Amino acid sequence: MVSRLLLALLCVSALSTAQSDAGKPVIQLRLGGEKRKHYEGRVEVFYNGEWGTVCDDDFSISAAQVVCRELGFMDAVSWAASAKFGKGEGRIWLDNVHCTGAEKSLAQCESNGFGVSDCKHSEDVGVVCSQKRIPGFKFIRNQAVGGEGLTVQVEEVRIRATYSHRKRIPITEGFVEVKDGGKWRQICNEDWTEMNSRVVCGMYGFPGEKHFNVRPYKLLAKRRKKNYWGFSVNCTGNEAHLSDCKLGKEIQLKGNNTCRRGMPAVISCIPGRAFAPSVSVGFRKAYRMEQPLVRLRGGAMIGEGRVEVLKNGEWGTVCDDNWDIRAATVVCRELGFGSAKEALTGGRMGQGVGAVHMNEVQCSGFEKSLTECYFNQDSIGCSHEEDAAVRCNVPAMGFHSRLRLSGGRNPYEGRVEVLAERNGSLVWGSVCSDSWGTMEAVVVCRQLGLGFASHAFQETWYWEGDSSADPVLMSGVRCSGTELTLDQCLHHGKHVSCPKGGGRFAAGVSCTQTAPDLVLSAQVVEQTTYLEDRPLYLLQCAHEERCLSSTADNADPSSYRRLLRFSSQIQNNGLSDFRPRASPQSWVWHECHRHYHSMEVFTHYDLLSLNGTKVAEGHKASFCLEDTHCDEGIQKRYECANFGSQGITVGCWDTYRHDIDCQWIDITDVKPGDYFLQVVINPNFEVAESDFTNNIMKCRTRYDGHRIWTYNCHIGGTFSSDVEDTFPGLLTNQLSHR
C-alpha cells in the first residue's frame, strides 16, 4: 500500500515537472477557426488526449505572446475575445489565464487549472500573431498527440529551382523545401500528393500545378546529399497556405536510407497569363481572351481589390456575409493568381456601384469560378458598405529590384530611378519628366508595392538623390495605368531624348495607402436633363469662362443660345478624401462669378455623334468642391462659404445643380439626330484615384430640334464588354489632354 502511494506521488511530481519543463511539453497548441489567415485563429490546446479551447476571461497580450512564440511566431499582434474565430468544440481547458510573457509554454502560466472553467464556447479566445517566424524554431510534437489535428509548423517554405531554371522569372518548378530548426529540409515524396502541390503553388502565386519530367530530378537527387524533414504533409487542396495543412505521419530518419522508395518532393506550377515567362511567347497566345465573369476593382496592387461579378450583362458586387478565405481563394485562382492571402470585408477596398449580385457565398474551394459557388439568391438587405474584397498571392517577379525612389523624406516619396544596362553594366539613372503625370506615378507606386499614387512631380530639386544617378536613362514615358512595371509603358527605349535633362528636372512620385474614388450618379443626370433657350447677354460670365461654343464669340448679344442642362451628383466611394492638387494659394480668382477655381477643369461635358465624333462640348471648373450631402453618420468637412477648404469627404457627394452657370452643353449649332451625352470627371487625371474607369458616364440622347430625350445612362465599366462596345470610350477612358 505504501509503495502504491509512493508511486502515485512520483507520478504527480513527474507531471508537474513536465508542465514546468518547456523541453517536455504536456500540451500542444494549434490555431483553429475557418475565417482566418494561417497566423491567426482560435487558441486550441491538446491536453490529456483531447483538444479543447481557452476562455477569454483575464486573457492578455502577454498570454497571446506566449501562445504565438510557442507556435513559432516572433510575437503577438493582438488577441480577440468572444469567439471571433468561431466557437470551438470539446472541453474548455484553461480559464483565467495569467501570463507574464516570459513563459516558454502556456502550461506554465497561472490559471484555474486544466478543465476548471465556468465559460461557454462563446468566450473562446483567439490570437493574431506576427507573420515572422522565429529563426531556428524547431517544431516539437508531443508524442501523446499522435499527429491528430496538428497543422504544419515550419519557419519557411520554398521552391528550390535547379541550376538551369534558377534565372527564370518567375520560378515555377523545383524541389519543395521547408525550413525547420534553422535548416532547409526536403520532404519525402512517398506520400506527396497533387493536392499538396496545389497548395504550395497557390502560396507562391500560381493558380494550379501541372505534370513535369521527373527524370532529371531523379538523377539530381541521387547525386545530392539529402536532409529530409521528419514528417509527411496531408493537404486537402483548398488550404490557402501549407501551414493550414494537417501534419502527416512521422518519417523515420535513417540518413541515406530515409525515403528509400521515393525522392525529395518536386512541384511544377502553372503561372497566370500576366506572369507567364517572357521566354514563352506562345504561352500567352494560348489563352483566349474571353469576357471574364469575375474582376477586381479598387485595389492598389496587382491581385487585390473589391470582388465584382457579371450577371445578365451587368457588373455587381458580393456581400461579405460568410465571406471567407476559401471563397477568396476561388476568386484569386480564377483570375490567374495563387491562393488568397486575405478575405476582406466591410468595403475595405472601397464601395462599388449598382447591384449586389451575391450574398452568403459558400465555396468548396475547387470551383473554377466564384459563380459556381453556392449563394443565397433570396437574401436581401446588403449595402455596398458590406462589399467583399480579396488580397491574392502573386508570383515573385523581382519588380522591386529594377526601380527605386531616392531622396524623399519617407519611403513613400522621392525621385524615380531605374536600373538599366549601359555599356555592358547595370547602372542607376533618372527618368525624364516630360509628359510625366498621374498614370506614370500609378505604375511606379504599384511596381514598388507602395499603394496608390498621390502626386506626380516634374521637378525634384528638393529631393537630393544620388548624384551618380542624375543622367537620364528613360524618356518619353507614357502609361495607360494598367501596366505592372514602368518598362512595360511606352518609352523611347535606348535612344533617350530629354531636352530638360535629369537632375532637378527628373521625374518623382509620392505614394499613399488609400485613395479617393469619384463616381457620378447616372440616374441624377437622366432625371434632370432639359433644354433652355437663354439670351447671350445674360451669359456674360459663362462666356468669359468659355462655357459656350466658339460660335458665341461672334454672335449678336441679343441672340439666344440653346443649352442642354442637367444636374451632376458626384460621390466619393473611395477610402480617402478627394482634395484639389493645387494649394489654395495657387487657386485662380474669377472676378465675374467672384469665386476661386481650385481645379481649372473638373469635368468635361460632351455631345458625341454615334461614331464618337464630338459635336458640342462644355466644361466645368471646380469653383466649389464641397460636401453637399453625406451618408448617415458622416460629418461634412468641406464647404466653400467664406473661402473655406475644398474637397469631397469619403461617403459624401457634391451636387452641381442644373440651374447654375456652366452646368450645361451649348447645343445651339447641333442638328437634330441621335447622340451620346458624355460626362467625364477629373478628365486630366489631375488628382489620383483608386479607379478611373468609373469616372466616365454616357447616355443615349435623341434631339428633334425642339425637345431632347436622355435614356440608358450608365457609368463606364458597369456592363459587359459587348454592351460597352456600343458606347465608344467607356472601356478605355482615354480622354486626357495628353
Side-chain angles (χ1 to χ4, degrees), residues 488-502:
Q488 289 178 2
C489 301
L490 291 172
H491 60 281
H492 287 154
K494 291 186 177 180
H495 303 288
V496 173
S497 173
C498 188
K500 289 193 297 188

Side-chain angles (χ1 to χ4, degrees), residues 670-686:
V670 173
K671 297 175 182 177
D674 289 317
Y675 299 96
F676 291 119
L677 167 62
Q678 176 178 277
V679 180
V680 188
I681 314 165
N682 191 17
N684 300 334
F685 313 119
E686 193 174 322

Side-chain angles (χ1 to χ4, degrees), residues 595-598 621-626 639-641 646-647 654 656:
H595 57 230
Y596 282 102
H597 285 184
S598 56
S622 66
F623 67 83
C624 179
L625 272 177
E626 68 174 3
E639 61 176 339
C640 301
Q646 294 193 23
D654 185 11
Y656 286 90

Side-chain angles (χ1 to χ4, degrees), residues 163-180:
Y163 185 77
S164 58
H165 286 189
R166 217 161 276 173
K167 290 186 178 179
R168 290 190 182 181
I169 297 177
I171 290 174
T172 58
E173 187 175 298
F175 293 103
V176 182
E177 296 188 340
V178 295
K179 196 175 188 182
D180 186 36

Side-chain angles (χ1 to χ4, degrees), residues 186-215:
Q186 300 84 41
I187 299 176
C188 177
N189 74 342
E190 287 177 5
D191 295 311
W192 188 261
T193 66
E194 284 187 9
M195 294 298 102
N196 295 352
S197 297
R198 173 181 164 88
V199 171
V200 176
C201 286
M203 283 173 58
Y204 276 88
F206 304 113
E209 76 292 339
K210 63 182 176 68
H211 294 291
F212 57 94
N213 182 6
V214 74
R215 193 175 171 208

Side-chain angles (χ1 to χ4, degrees), residues 449-468:
L450 297 177
F452 299 100
S454 179
H455 291 100
F457 299 95
Q458 294 191 343
E459 288 189 28
T460 51
W461 52 267
Y462 36 79
W463 287 331
E464 191 175 344
D466 186 348
S467 59
S468 65

Side-chain angles (χ1 to χ4, degrees), residues 212-274:
F212 57 94
N213 182 6
V214 74
R215 193 175 171 208
Y217 290 99
K218 277 186 175 178
L219 293 172
L220 199 59
K222 282 182 180 178
R223 294 200 302 266
R224 276 187 180 167
K225 184 181 178 183
K226 293 173 281 295
N227 183 18
Y228 283 105
W229 191 47
F231 301 93
S232 61
V233 177
N234 186 13
C235 301
T236 62
N238 58 17
E239 296 90 348
H241 195 277
L242 195 69
S243 299
D244 298 323
C245 296
K246 293 289 188 285
L247 199 66
K249 69 179 185 183
E250 194 163 356
I251 305 283
Q252 293 297 316
L253 301 178
K254 304 174 183 175
N256 290 335
N257 292 322
T258 307
C259 194
R260 288 205 68 176
R261 291 184 292 113
M263 58 175 272
V266 176
I267 63 169
S268 183
C269 307
I270 304 170
R273 187 189 303 115

